[in-house]
Amino acid sequence: MTNPDSSSIAREDAASTQTAERIAERIQDTGVVIGVSESLTSGLLASFLGAAPSSSDWFLGGLTAYATSVKRSVLGVTAEAVVSEESAAQMAEGTAKLLGADLALAITGSGGPEPQDGQEPGTVFIGIAASGLERPVVVERFFEGDPEEVIHATVGAALELLEDRLEKLLAEHGRR
């Protein structure tokens, strides 16, 4: 019998695959390129994007910035707390600059089982930097479950946010 936790993760991953495929379909021939940086999700988001159709045409890559020292030295994070809105914004900006991305998404959060930087397990910050935005947009989310469930739910939410921001970016640039 399948463990309920693993079946919910399988459903989440199937939905993430579908969202990544919609992003791939929508971004084709637009000239827009995407880059990501991840802490909490340790490269899982990049894995879904890289597996999407024709990803080599639009996905620049991802950086797994798990250690605080990497967030600071590579992405330019100066926020005192790395699990914070400020850190997610700085990670997104650093990713866009480092990779030359039109659209950059960054994830940081507390997966548990213990709190991190004063944030309860399940607290996630997703930063999105896009050409045309003066400042990155940061969304805070909370997901129930063990660390693995939090990670998979975070990737699903991040892909949905990425899809939404892509649509806005294309509309702003007249690329319907």
Side-chain angles (χ1 to χ4, degrees):
M1 182 166 182
T2 305
N3 176 334
D5 295 342
S6 64
S7 77
S8 68
I9 289 171
R11 281 191 304 277
E12 187 71 54
D13 286 355
S16 292
T17 297
Q18 291 174 345
T19 305
E21 288 172 352
R22 285 193 309 272
I23 290 168
E25 184 177 316
R26 186 63 181 102
I27 202 168
Q28 278 303 107
D29 302 320
T30 64
V32 173
V33 290
I34 294 174
V36 299
S37 61
E38 305 174 67
S39 180
L40 170 69
T41 53
S42 299
L44 187 60
L45 174 63
S47 178
F48 277 99
L49 291 170
S54 303
S55 59
S56 62
D57 294 338
W58 51 268
F59 181 50
L60 296 171
L63 174 70
T64 301
Y66 201 76
T68 298
S69 60
V70 175
K71 290 178 192 76
R72 297 197 188 294
S73 66
V74 177
L75 295 174
V77 172
T78 60
E80 186 174 324
V82 294
V83 178
S84 66
E85 181 177 338
E86 183 182 8
S87 179
Q90 291 174 348
M91 287 174 66
E93 286 178 322
T95 301
K97 185 176 181 180
L98 183 67
L99 297 178
D102 300 307
L103 189 53
L105 188 138
I107 298 171
T108 187
S110 175
E114 300 298 320
Q116 184 180 352
D117 287 333
Q119 300 292 342
E120 287 302 312
T123 305
V124 174
F125 297 93
I126 303 170
I128 302 170
S131 57
L133 283 179
E134 188 174 313
R135 294 185 37 103
V137 173
V138 178
V139 175
E140 180 179 355
R141 295 281 171 84
F142 182 82
F143 300 105
E144 296 282 342
D146 65 26
E148 187 177 14
E149 290 171 305
V150 169
I151 289 167
H152 288 264
T154 298
V155 168
L159 284 165
E160 289 173 7
L161 290 168
L162 187 61
E163 181 180 30
D164 181 62
R165 187 61 226 171
L166 174 62
E167 286 300 329
K168 289 176 182 169
L169 180 67
L170 294 175
E172 290 163 4
H173 290 85
R175 299 178 190 164
R176 286 259 170 214

